[in-house]
């Protein structure tokens, strides 16, 4: 009898999670029910599974609403009916048309109108829904005669009084209205909840036609779904045979390209993989991916294929990836095996500048009816909850800020705040809005509207209304089309080298960069700022601790820095064993046999599976559960608990010591979701090497590319510093030299207009467009005549020195621009300056302090260009020790003067500590550790220069300074201000890069518990 049930997927309306809705229905003895969320079918697939498990017949449909008003309820008779309503709603979504009052001509859909919205004439498939509290209206002749087309309408929106209140709050949030100002039409009735079916039938006992109609609809709605059927586009060619033939041809061509004609091991691996791919019907998936890569190559785009797909030699031969699985002993079964029923997963990265071109090709090539992005549910989060809920209770902005920014224990305790907390906490994990998955694309065999309506977000590519987990559950596997700035760094560097030096670098040839001698030297010394994945302070420190000077060690480093490995203590143990290979024993033969390359330590996801299978004796099925858990794709607690139970039973059967088995499983658990597969680490390592090779041999071009791709881990200032250290001459923006992005002429770098604060971006781009079209600017007057820019923006350009080519001082230019533009109207620009020659003004000569330019630059760029930050200090002292001397002062206390680059807050058992990264006056980097007790008296006070007193520590070749005391050093007074209160304000604009982590404290060495000697049996 329940033809109109809502879950919390009726966004900002329903209050019941799908699982709880079915559970309640089951407890009431409901035998059939419909899920009709508002303008979506997001929850129907979960609903179907749960209903079938509970012995309930599932009906699926939608409640169609327009302008927050119920139009009608639609129920699918079958799969065609679902497709009809999905397609209909999709057209409205794409064209942004408000839904009409009445339903279109559906062939396989039942329509139920609410009594107050029922049309005079009903079609054969249309009915009127009558609520229990409306039955008395049937005594009226105009409704009495229509009973033959009526059905029971008992909407379900909430379960309890608290949920009813929550529903009202959600409606206020959705309408952006105060709770007290909602009207009766804005929210559901207090009767819109599930009641026992017997009671519902009792209310309608005098109206048998109504209950018979309801039961007939339930009987005639027979939507079923085959969850195990793959839904991706099946074939690239016309059929399976055509696909495997084409894939085989391409693989054999690629085999010769990658390995030459005589490599027997590679040929055997290719044949083995082709058989599995064909048996599992995944040829089409490989070919579609190959097709995308082929198009990318035809456009000259650089891509990186990574993830578990790099385990495949076929992917390597097709050019999808650049990782040789034979070189790294990558096993194909991690990617694809006969126990795995879901398609393989390729993650492919492009430059953020080129990704949209790739996306457009995919949508055009395979059709907008068949291609869409995965959706994602944006849930109510802590901050948004308190802002949204607090707002509907009428709290002012300052109180909302306090609620959002502080933990609940610090909130006020008045009645309103208690209500905000009470209902806010009920909303945790509730979907708030639908959004677009960042990279996951579905390519479907059938039109996607067979499964869901589509929406068209501002990005211009359609999205489905379910997330990646539902997509996989119903037979789809996404193609991950990603973008990252690291590829932009590489791609733009190659283009800059050709433009600036006339050299063509084939960076696609990974043999050029991988294990190149100079790059290895930089790698071991941690000179990797700007390089993809290996530039953070933590990664640079790890590289130095490992003296990482080769590809395979870098592959391992890319994984051991991940949270799972580091949290388990295995990162520390790996560093020890790498530096002391003679000071440990493999504590069990399985670890020596399976993990010899990584000193008996589980570093990759594959290692976890190897130990689970070979030490623990788990089945291949249990191994696949672990794989899914580590990939974040399957986190069933029950399934993982079974794996754990099986592991210990099997270990006991094999006679393994319980203590050892406990420690090993602790490590296995810590990996779940937070470690890389080896192929993924290898892919990252290849890209890191490509970046590093370019940085080593073409540092200025590389840094300009990093700057123009808007950096990486650090702010722009640090990459400019790197360029200067490489011999570049840094120039402030110039209207005759600069582009919107940073420009390079030989060794001269002209900062781009994009870096200027407080300047209109469209006008900034127009400057170079106009110059390239009509020649260089001859004077300030000429610039004003040609660029439609107001006086405030022009003053910004003057202050940064963009008109220095005129030979006039900033003060003279400021006087001149005021004379020209103070009373100037933009409509007269061309009239005044074209028809009348510019007047000659006798400008005064005004003295200007050498520091004024530096403070202008800090104000407009956030950092100085014409001098260093050290030049602006009041003190001439530069510390007693420089970075190059640190290794000579092990365990000694030293004083250093340094400029703060970045800080990272991390938890310890004694409280939060910080790590700092700094440069000394010579521009060299070093790192500091600040323990909680030191921070109490000597905290960080923002960006700038500090005098540091600390003890030099050396951790496996890597010197750091443990800080005892520190003090921030003042700049000289800003000479642009006479007011003493303002003379020290500008220096507060000096930035630092800030990061933090909420992870648990890393274990100390004595807590790791991993034995370094063989255990006695």
């Amino acid at each position: 009898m329940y033809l109109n049930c809502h879950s919390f997927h009726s966004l900002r309306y329903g209050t019941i999670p799908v699982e709880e809705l079915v559970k309640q229905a089951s407890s009431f003895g409901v035998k059939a029910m419909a899920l009709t969320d508002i303008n979506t079918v997001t929850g129907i697939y979960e609903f179907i599974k749960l209903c079938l498990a509970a012995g309930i017949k599932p009906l699926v449909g939608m409640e169609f609403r327009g302008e927050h008003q119920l139009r009608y309820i639609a129920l699918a008779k079958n799969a065609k009916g679902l497709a009809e309503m999905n397609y209909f709603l999709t057209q409205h979504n794409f064209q942004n048309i408000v839904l009409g009052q009445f339903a279109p001509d559906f062939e396989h859909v039942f329509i139920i109108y609410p009594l107050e919205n029922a049309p005079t004439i009903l079609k054969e498939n249309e009915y009127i829904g009558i609520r229990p509290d409306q039955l008395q209206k049937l005594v009226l002749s105009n409704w009495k005669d229509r009973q033959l087309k009526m059905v029971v309408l008992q909407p379900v929106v909430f379960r309890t009084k608290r949920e009813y209140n929550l529903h009202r709050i959600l409606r206020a949030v959705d309408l952006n209205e105060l709770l007290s100002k909602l009207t009766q039409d804005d929210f559901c009735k207090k009767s819109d909840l599930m009641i026992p079916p017997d009671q519902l039938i009792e209310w309608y006992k005098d109206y048998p036609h109504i209950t018979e109609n309801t039961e007939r609809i339930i009987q005639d709605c027979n939507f079923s779904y085959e969850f195990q059927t793959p839904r991706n586009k099946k074939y690239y060619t016309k059929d399976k045979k055509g696909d495997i033939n084409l894939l085989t041809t391409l693989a054999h061509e690629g085999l010769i390209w990658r390995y030459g004609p005589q490599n027997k091991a590679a040929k055997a691996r290719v044949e083995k993989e082709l058989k599995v791919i064909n048996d599992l019907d995944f040829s089409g998936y490989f070919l579609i991916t190959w097709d995308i890569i082929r198009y990318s190559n035809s456009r000259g785009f650089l891509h990186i294929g990574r993830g578990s797909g790099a385990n495949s030699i076929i992917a390597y031969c097709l050019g999808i990836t650049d990782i040789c699985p034979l070189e790294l002993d990558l096993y194909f079964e991690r990617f694809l095996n006969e126990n795995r029923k879901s398609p393989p997963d390729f993650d492919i990265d492009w430059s953020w500048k080129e990704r949209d071109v790739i996306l457009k090709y995919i949508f055009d090539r395979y059709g907008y009816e068949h291609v869409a992005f995965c959706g994602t549910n944006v849930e109510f989060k802590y901050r948004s909850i308190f802002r949204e809920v607090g707002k509907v209770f009428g709290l002012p902005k300052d109180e909302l800020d306090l609620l959002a920014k502080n933990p609940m224990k610090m909130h006020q305790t008045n009645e309103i705040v208690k209500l905000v907390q009470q209902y806010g906490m009920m909303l945790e994990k509730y979907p708030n809005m639908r959004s677009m998955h960042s990279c996951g694309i579905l390519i479907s065999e059938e039109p996607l509207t067979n499964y869901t309506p589509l929406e068209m977000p501002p990005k211009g590519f359609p999205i489905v209304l379910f997330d990646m987990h539902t997509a996989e559950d119903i037979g789809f596997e996404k193609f991950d089309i990603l973008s990252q700035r690291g590829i932009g760094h590489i791609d733009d560097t190659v283009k800059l080298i050709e433009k600036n030096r006339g050299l063509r670098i084939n960076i696609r040839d990974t043999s050029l960069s991988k294990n190149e001698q100079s790059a290895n030297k930089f790698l071991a010394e941690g000179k990797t700022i700007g390089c993809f994945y290996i530039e953070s302070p933590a990664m640079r420190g790890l590289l130095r601790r490992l003296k990482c000077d080769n590809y395979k060690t870098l592959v391992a480093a890319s994984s051991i820095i991940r949270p799972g490995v580091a949290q388990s203590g295995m990162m520390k143990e790996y560093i020890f064993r790498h530096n002391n290979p003679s000071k440990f024993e493999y504590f069990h033969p399985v670890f020596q046999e399976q993990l010899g390359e990584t000193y008996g330590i589980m570093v990759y996801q594959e290692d976890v599976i190897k130990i689970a299978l070979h030490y623990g004796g788990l089945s291949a099925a249990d191994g696949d559960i672990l794989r899914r858990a580590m990939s974040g794709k399957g986190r069933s607690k029950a399934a993982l608990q079974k794996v754990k139970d099986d592991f210990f039973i099997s270990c006991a059967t094999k006679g393994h010591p319980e203590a050892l088995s406990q420690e090993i499983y602790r490590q296995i658990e810590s990996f779940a979701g937070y470690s890389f597969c080896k192929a993924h680490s290898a892919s990252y390592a290849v890209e890191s090497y490509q970046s590093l090779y370019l940085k080593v041999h073409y540092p200025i071009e590389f840094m300009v590319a990093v700057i123009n791709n808007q950096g990486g881990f650090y702010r722009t200032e640090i990459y400019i510093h790197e360029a200067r250290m490489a011999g570049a001459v840094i120039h402030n923006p110039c209207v005759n030299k600069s582009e919107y992005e940073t420009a390079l002429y030989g060794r001269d770098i002209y900062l781009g207009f994009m870096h200027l604060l407080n300047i209109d971006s469209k006008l900034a781009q127009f400057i170079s467009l106009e110059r390239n079209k009509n020649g260089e600017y001859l004077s300030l007057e000429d610039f004003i005549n040609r660029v439609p820019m107001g006086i405030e923006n022009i003053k910004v350009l003057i202050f940064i020195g963009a008109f220095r080519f005129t030979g006039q001082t900033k003060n003279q230019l400021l006087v001149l621009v005021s004379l020209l533009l103070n009373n100037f109207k933009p409509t007269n620009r061309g009239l005044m300056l074209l028809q009348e020659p510019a007047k000659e003004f006798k400008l005064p000569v005004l003295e200007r302090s050498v520091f004024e330019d530096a403070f202008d630059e800090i104000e407009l760029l956030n950092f100085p260009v014409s001098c260093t930050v050290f030049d602006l200090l009041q003190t001439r002292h530069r510390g007693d020790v420089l970075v190059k001397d640190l290794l000579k002062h092990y365990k000694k206390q030293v004083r250093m003067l340094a400029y703060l680059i970045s800080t990272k807050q991390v938890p310890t058992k004694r409280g939060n500590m910080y790590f700092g990264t700094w440069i000394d006056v010579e521009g060299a980097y070093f790192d500091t550790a600040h323990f909680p007790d030191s921070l109490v008296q000597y905290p960080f006070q923002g960006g700038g220069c500090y005098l540091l007193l600390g003890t030099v520590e050396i951790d496996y070749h890597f010197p750091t300074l443990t800080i005892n005391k520190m003090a921030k050093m003042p700049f000289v007074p800003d000479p642009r201000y006479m007011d003493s209160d303002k003379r020290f304000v500008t220096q507060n604009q000096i930035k630092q890069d800030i990061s933090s982590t909420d992870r648990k404290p890393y274990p100390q060495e004595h807590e790791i518990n991993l034995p370094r000697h063989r255990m006695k049996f």
Side-chain angles (χ1 to χ4, degrees):
M1 295 295 148
Y2 292 97
L3 304 183
N4 184 211
C5 298
H6 301 85
S7 74
F8 63 8
H9 290 297
S10 289
L11 299 181
R12 301 185 180 192
Y13 190 95
T15 65
I16 314 173
V18 177
E19 185 177 2
E20 296 297 317
L21 177 65
V22 176
K23 189 181 296 183
Q24 183 184 39
S26 179
S27 69
F28 280 9
V30 173
K31 298 302 181 187
M33 64 186 298
L35 182 64
T36 54
D37 281 318
I38 297 171
N39 295 346
T40 187
V41 295
T42 303
I44 64 168
Y45 298 104
E46 179 188 7
F47 174 74
I48 290 168
K49 279 192 168 183
L50 291 168
C51 279
L52 294 176
I56 298 172
K57 180 179 180 178
L59 282 66
V60 300
M62 267 188 279
E63 181 175 293
F64 285 84
R65 284 184 175 246
E67 299 178 315
H68 301 288
Q69 298 300 313
L70 170 60
R71 304 299 195 214
Y72 44 85
I73 299 150
L75 295 172
K77 297 179 183 178
N78 47 40
K80 291 180 180 178
L82 180 65
E84 280 184 314
M85 64 176 79
N86 288 342
Y87 182 80
F88 168 71
L89 185 58
T90 297
Q91 300 311 304
H92 278 72
N93 290 341
F94 281 14
Q95 297 169 30
N96 199 24
I97 300 172
V98 176
L99 286 167
Q101 292 289 331
F102 307 120
D105 293 329
F106 290 130
E107 292 184 27
H108 303 277
V109 177
F110 286 115
I111 298 296
I112 302 169
Y113 290 99
L115 194 68
E116 57 274 14
N117 197 38
T120 305
I121 300 174
L122 293 171
K123 301 166 190 171
E124 184 180 349
N125 64 322
E126 294 181 338
Y127 293 85
I128 300 171
I130 185 164
R131 296 166 174 265
D133 59 4
Q134 295 172 328
L135 288 172
Q136 67 270 24
K137 292 186 178 184
L138 296 184
V139 300
L140 303 174
S141 59
N142 59 325
W143 293 117
K144 185 176 181 180
D145 297 338
R146 307 189 71 182
Q147 288 185 46
L148 293 178
K149 291 288 283 182
M150 287 184 177
V151 295
V152 175
L153 182 59
Q154 176 58 42
V156 178
V157 179
F158 61 92
R159 288 173 293 179
T160 64
K161 181 179 179 181
R162 284 184 66 191
E163 282 192 3
Y164 176 68
N165 293 335
L166 182 65
H167 161 76
R168 294 181 69 247
I169 289 169
L170 285 169
R171 297 306 304 129
V173 169
D174 190 44
L175 296 167
N176 194 26
E177 188 61 88
L178 290 174
L179 188 61
S180 59
K181 291 191 175 181
L182 293 182
T183 68
Q184 291 291 330
D185 293 334
D186 292 329
F187 49 86
C188 75
K189 298 180 181 295
K190 288 186 176 181
S191 58
D192 286 0
L193 75 172
M194 190 173 287
I195 57 177
D198 292 345
Q199 183 178 336
L200 189 60
I201 292 171
E202 177 66 21
W203 287 341
Y204 288 86
K205 66 180 180 181
D206 295 330
Y207 307 98
H209 289 300
I210 295 176
T211 55
E212 287 170 8
N213 288 341
T214 308
E215 289 170 355
R216 190 179 305 113
I217 286 178
I218 291 172
Q219 290 172 5
D220 290 349
C221 286
N222 292 292
F223 180 87
S224 61
Y225 192 85
E226 293 292 333
F227 286 89
Q228 302 304 317
T229 302
R231 307 288 172 176
N232 278 45
K233 180 172 173 59
K234 289 183 180 179
Y235 308 120
Y236 177 76
T237 62
K238 294 181 179 179
D239 53 31
K240 179 176 178 177
K241 183 178 179 181
D243 276 6
I244 192 60
N245 287 342
L246 176 57
L247 185 62
T248 301
T249 299
L250 293 171
H252 286 156
E253 290 173 355
L255 177 64
I256 295 173
W257 166 49
R258 292 290 198 183
Y259 295 100
Q262 304 300 325
N263 194 314
K264 293 182 179 180
K267 186 175 182 180
R269 175 73 173 256
V270 165
E271 298 304 327
K272 169 189 170 185
E273 289 192 15
L274 284 171
K275 182 180 183 306
V276 175
I277 292 168
N278 185 46
D279 289 346
L280 296 177
D281 293 334
F282 289 152
S283 300
Y285 192 93
F286 273 79
L287 289 170
I288 290 170
T289 308
W290 163 78
D291 175 62
I292 296 168
I293 298 304
R294 179 177 61 169
Y295 173 74
S296 172
N297 291 338
S298 74
R299 295 294 304 268
F301 296 166
L302 181 67
H303 79 277
I304 302 291
R306 57 178 175 83
S308 61
N311 286 278
S312 168
I313 199 170
I314 301 296
Y316 183 54
C317 290
L318 267 59
I320 297 170
T321 67
D322 281 315
I323 307 301
C324 171
L326 300 183
E327 178 185 12
L328 293 174
D329 191 27
L330 304 177
Y331 66 108
F332 179 61
E333 289 74 12
R334 167 62 182 82
F335 173 55
L336 196 60
N337 59 71
E338 293 178 358
N339 294 316
R340 181 176 182 173
K341 301 305 179 188
S342 59
D345 190 11
F346 286 114
D347 296 337
I348 307 175
D349 295 322
W350 278 270
S351 165
W352 61 282
K353 296 178 181 179
E354 295 165 347
R355 177 174 178 257
D356 281 357
V357 178
I358 298 297
L359 291 175
K360 187 175 187 306
Y361 171 75
I362 295 170
F363 278 86
D364 289 345
R365 172 73 171 80
Y366 297 100
Y368 278 68
E369 288 187 352
H370 297 268
V371 185
F373 270 92
C374 270
T376 183
N377 285 322
V378 179
E379 297 175 344
F380 281 99
K381 298 292 196 309
Y382 185 88
R383 289 193 174 191
S384 67
I385 286 174
F386 288 120
R387 286 194 189 282
E388 297 278 18
V389 177
K391 189 163 57 174
V392 304
F393 278 100
L395 295 180
K397 183 181 182 303
D398 56 344
E399 288 190 42
L400 296 178
D401 291 341
L402 290 173
L403 291 178
K405 293 177 181 178
N406 293 310
M408 284 178 59
K409 62 184 179 183
M410 295 178 63
H411 290 178
Q412 296 179 11
T413 56
N414 61 59
E415 289 303 314
I416 296 296
V417 170
K418 286 181 179 177
L419 288 172
V420 172
Q421 291 176 340
Q422 174 186 337
Y423 288 104
M425 288 302 93
M426 289 176 70
L427 284 178
E428 274 199 312
K429 302 298 182 184
Y430 272 45
N432 181 21
M433 61 185 73
R434 281 184 292 274
S435 185
M436 179 177 175
H437 190 279
S438 59
C439 58
I441 288 178
L442 307 181
I443 303 178
S444 174
E445 178 70 18
E446 299 177 11
L448 282 163
T449 49
N450 286 4
Y451 312 101
T452 172
L454 304 176
E455 290 182 352
M456 184 68 78
K459 187 75 174 175
F461 297 114
I463 63 171
V464 299
L465 302 192
F466 47 71
D467 63 19
M468 56 179 281
H469 302 292
T470 299
E472 184 175 355
D473 202 35
I474 67 176
F476 287 104
E477 189 71 13
K478 60 184 171 49
F479 293 77
D480 282 333
I481 308 299
L482 305 103
S483 67
Q484 49 149 289
R485 299 193 185 277
I487 295 177
H489 299 169
I490 296 168
D491 202 27
D492 285 1
T493 302
V494 171
K495 293 172 183 174
L496 273 171
I497 293 168
E498 184 171 2
K499 179 182 178 182
N500 199 44
R501 304 196 190 198
L503 298 175
R504 284 196 174 189
I505 306 299
N506 183 16
I507 201 64
R508 295 170 184 267
D509 180 3
T510 58
S511 64
L512 181 73
S513 57
K514 194 170 64 177
N515 274 335
E516 194 267 341
Q517 185 176 357
S518 300
N520 281 342
K521 186 174 184 295
F522 270 56
L523 192 67
E525 295 172 356
K527 295 180 179 179
T528 54
I529 286 180
C531 299
F532 172 76
Y533 198 71
I534 55 174
E535 65 165 336
S536 71
M539 193 66 186
R540 290 188 301 106
L542 175 61
L543 295 173
R544 293 183 68 178
R545 288 179 175 93
L546 294 173
K547 276 196 173 178
C548 178
D549 62 356
N550 63 82
Y551 172 56
K552 289 191 175 182
T553 303
L554 180 57
V555 173
S558 298
S559 190
I560 66 172
I561 202 166
R562 295 284 293 169
V565 190
Q567 190 64 54
S568 68
M570 293 303 97
M571 179 171 73
K572 286 186 177 181
E573 186 63 20
Y574 182 92
I575 295 169
F576 172 84
R577 295 185 179 196
H578 179 80
N579 284 284
N580 302 281
S582 63
K583 293 185 179 179
F584 77 94
E585 297 174 333
Y586 293 96
F587 52 80
H588 192 279
V590 167
F591 283 75
Q592 184 170 7
E593 177 186 338
Q594 298 294 331
L595 308 181
E597 183 182 304
T598 55
Y599 313 110
I601 292 171
M602 288 182 281
V603 168
Y604 311 110
Q605 292 178 0
E606 289 92 336
D607 297 342
V608 178
I609 297 172
K610 285 178 184 177
I611 296 305
L613 299 181
H614 296 284
Y615 174 86
L618 291 182
S619 66
D622 281 345
D624 201 55
I625 291 172
L626 279 177
R627 174 193 67 78
R628 292 172 62 80
M630 287 185 292
S631 302
K633 292 186 175 180
R635 295 180 179 272
S636 165
K637 290 182 178 179
L640 283 173
Q641 183 61 46
K642 181 181 181 301
V643 170
K644 185 174 183 178
D645 294 341
D646 290 348
F647 177 84
F648 284 111
I649 292 170
S650 180
C651 285
T653 303
K654 285 175 167 282
H656 295 318
E658 184 178 351
L660 177 59
S661 300
Q662 289 282 358
E663 169 58 21
I664 290 169
Y665 201 81
R666 179 187 74 81
Q667 295 170 32
I668 288 174
E669 283 187 316
S670 72
F671 270 62
Y674 295 104
S675 61
F676 280 164
C677 70
K678 190 176 183 181
H680 196 99
S681 292
S683 302
Y684 271 19
V686 167
E687 186 178 348
S688 298
Y689 257 115
Q690 289 174 317
S691 296
L692 185 56
Y693 175 84
L694 294 172
K695 173 174 179 163
V696 170
H697 295 283
Y698 309 97
I700 296 176
E701 287 87 352
F702 179 73
M703 282 304 155
V704 170
V706 172
I707 291 165
N708 284 339
N709 282 273
Q710 299 172 36
F713 184 89
Y714 304 95
R715 60 194 182 277
T716 300
E717 176 188 2
I718 307 311
Y719 302 115
I720 291 171
H721 168 73
E722 283 285 291
R724 184 183 283 116
M725 294 292 288
V729 180
I730 312 300
H731 300 273
N732 279 317
C734 171
V735 295
N736 276 338
K737 289 287 188 179
S738 294
E739 306 288 337
Y740 182 70
E741 294 185 337
T742 294
L744 177 63
Y745 305 91
R747 303 182 77 83
D748 291 299
I749 293 176
Y750 283 82
L751 297 181
F753 299 118
M754 65 184 288
H755 301 299
L756 286 172
L757 307 176
N758 306 320
I759 191 166
D760 183 88
S761 63
K762 289 184 179 178
L763 286 176
Q765 293 177 58
F766 184 81
I767 294 171
S768 58
L769 290 173
E770 165 62 24
R771 183 186 71 226
N772 295 334
K773 182 179 179 182
N774 294 312
E776 290 191 350
Y777 301 103
L778 304 177
S779 62
L780 176 62
E781 293 92 334
D782 184 41
F783 180 87
I784 292 171
N785 190 45
R786 292 162 59 183
V787 179
M789 185 176 279
I791 189 169
E792 293 305 319
N793 277 323
I794 293 177
K795 282 183 176 180
V796 169
L797 293 174
I798 291 172
F799 279 123
I800 205 62
F803 295 100
R804 55 191 178 275
F805 71 92
T806 64
Q808 295 169 302
T809 67
K810 289 183 181 181
N811 290 336
Q812 290 173 325
L813 289 166
L814 288 169
V815 171
L816 182 58
V817 76
S818 296
L819 289 170
L820 289 170
L821 288 183
N822 262 350
N823 298 311
F824 176 70
K825 296 180 180 179
T827 52
N828 295 333
R829 180 182 303 275
L831 187 67
M832 181 188 76
L833 292 177
L834 282 178
Q835 295 185 0
E836 297 180 17
K839 294 180 180 179
E840 292 289 333
F841 297 103
K842 186 173 182 179
L843 301 172
V845 178
L846 301 173
E847 295 297 326
R848 189 174 177 85
S849 163
V850 68
F851 292 125
E852 286 187 70
D853 286 342
F855 281 103
D856 282 342
E857 290 156 3
I858 292 172
E859 199 164 86
L860 296 173
L861 296 168
N862 282 330
F863 54 87
V865 174
S866 54
C867 67
T868 73
V869 285
F870 294 98
D871 297 328
L872 294 173
L873 293 175
Q874 293 183 19
T875 179
R876 298 294 97 192
H877 179 65
R878 294 296 179 258
D880 302 331
V881 172
L882 295 173
V883 172
K884 63 187 177 184
D885 304 317
L886 283 177
L887 289 173
K888 303 174 186 175
H889 292 79
Y890 179 47
K891 289 296 182 183
K892 294 178 183 177
Q893 185 167 277
V894 299
R895 279 195 314 172
M896 300 183 72
L897 187 84
Y899 179 50
L900 181 59
I901 302 301
S902 67
T903 59
K904 182 174 184 177
Q905 175 186 307
V906 299
T908 73
K909 292 183 179 179
R910 293 191 294 158
N912 288 330
M913 70 173 293
Y914 279 78
F915 292 103
T917 299
W918 312 74
I919 58 170
D920 68 8
V921 70
E922 292 185 342
Y925 297 89
F926 70 100
D927 292 88
T928 56
H930 305 251
F931 288 96
D933 50 354
S934 166
L935 288 165
V936 171
Q937 288 184 284
Y938 306 102
F940 286 96
Q941 297 177 19
C945 293
Y946 288 72
L947 185 62
L948 307 171
L949 181 69
T951 304
V952 178
E953 303 289 349
I954 299 176
D955 183 23
Y956 301 108
H957 332 291
F958 179 53
T960 60
L961 196 64
T962 299
I963 298 301
N964 301 319
K965 298 179 180 179
M966 69 177 181
K968 188 175 180 181
M969 296 288 97
F971 280 8
V972 296
D974 187 340
R976 303 172 306 162
Y977 295 103
M978 299 300 294
D979 187 341
S980 59
D981 290 339
K982 294 183 177 180
R983 302 196 79 185
F984 295 95
V985 171
T986 307
Q987 64 181 284
N988 294 330
Q989 285 187 228
I990 295 288
K991 302 294 184 183
Q992 58 173 312
D993 293 305
I994 300 172
S995 59
S996 63
T997 179
D998 295 325
R999 61 166 171 78
K1000 294 179 181 178
Y1002 286 163
Q1004 299 301 304
E1005 188 168 332
H1006 67 277
E1007 298 172 313
I1008 295 176
N1009 296 326
L1010 188 69
R1012 289 177 180 163
H1013 299 283
R1014 183 165 298 188
M1015 296 192 71
K1016 306 297 182 184
F1017 299 111

